Amino acid sequence: MVDIHSHILPMVDDGARSWEVAIEMVKIAERDGTTHMVATPHANYEYKYDRESHTKLLAELQGKVGDGIKLILGCDFHFSFDNIEDAVAHPTRYAIGDTRYMLIELSDFSIAPQMPNMIYSLTSKGLVPILTHPERNPILQNKPEKVREWAEMGVLVQVTASAFVGKWGRGVQKLAHWYAEQGLLHVIASDAHSLNHRNPVLSEARKIIAKTYGEDLARAVSETNPMAIVTNQHLPEM
Ligand SMILES: [Fe+2]
């Protein structure tokens, strides 16, 4: 499996608190069957994103965990005007590895009416935004249909794996399934922050998706689609 969203870099944001935790998070993922893992430190008002220092830290982490799992740098990109301006000026700065794909995370408190323009400012630069965990966004919880409009503009949808497992409550779990039922689920990811509650396990969600919707969708959202993303390919037809 391929995990495109995780906070495994030690002591850079609210993810891994130490090297020990960072290494163990990667080991948990590896034992769970993950072969590629994208470290996505935040770029928001609280945490500054420094691609160069993150790259060095990731190489150090890769050295410590060995070659059983491939680590790639990405970004948990807060979708604010300032950030978008910087991404437009530097289209590779926040991407997943050397690809054209990048995560975008919306504010919990407001969604700008100019959302379509903001999306277009990235897609017109050749970037493919991947919307992270809409099932956990309080505003989108009341209007998930918005996500369909954005998907029609080329935005991909990433749902949190543990949402399918029920770790975020019944309402979030139902919404996770809504995205799957509506054909709006492109990829699951862990968004792991720690060893416990928010851990880097994908296999439980994969099993639930396989049982509910069949093996094809389970494979697409946990293997083939995220693999296409990290290798900069088009997503296979779903
Ligand atoms: Fe995240």
Side-chain angles (χ1 to χ4, degrees), residues 5-7 13-14 40-42 76 103 105 132-133 136 158 190-193 198:
H5 186 171
S6 73
H7 298 265
D13 60 7
D14 56 346
T40 53
H42 289 288
D76 198 347
L103 301 185
E105 178 187 55
T132 63
H133 48 71
R136 284 161 42 204
Q158 176 252 299
S190 71
D191 193 8
H193 279 69
R198 300 177 74 178

Side-chain angles (χ1 to χ4, degrees), residues 216-231:
D216 286 356
L217 186 67
R219 190 183 307 111
V221 301
S222 65
E223 295 174 38
T224 39
N225 287 350
M227 184 61 97
I229 290 168
V230 300
T231 54

Side-chain angles (χ1 to χ4, degrees), residues 77-148:
F77 181 86
H78 188 67
F79 207 52
S80 63
F81 289 107
D82 299 355
N83 259 357
I84 293 169
E85 211 169 66
D86 199 51
V88 167
H90 309 278
T92 58
R93 182 171 287 171
Y94 303 97
I96 293 177
D98 299 325
T99 77
R100 58 187 180 274
Y101 294 97
M102 67 182 282
L103 301 185
I104 60 169
E105 178 187 55
L106 300 186
S107 160
D108 280 353
F109 307 108
S110 66
I111 290 174
Q114 306 89 319
M115 195 56 195
N117 292 338
M118 293 160 79
I119 292 168
Y120 182 71
S121 64
L122 295 184
T123 55
S124 62
K125 286 275 166 188
L127 292 161
V128 181
I130 305 171
L131 178 66
T132 63
H133 48 71
E135 79 287 355
R136 284 161 42 204
N137 181 286
I139 299 168
L140 292 177
Q141 283 172 349
N142 294 318
K143 35 185 170 183
E145 280 292 340
K146 276 265 157 222
V147 176
R148 191 190 309 279

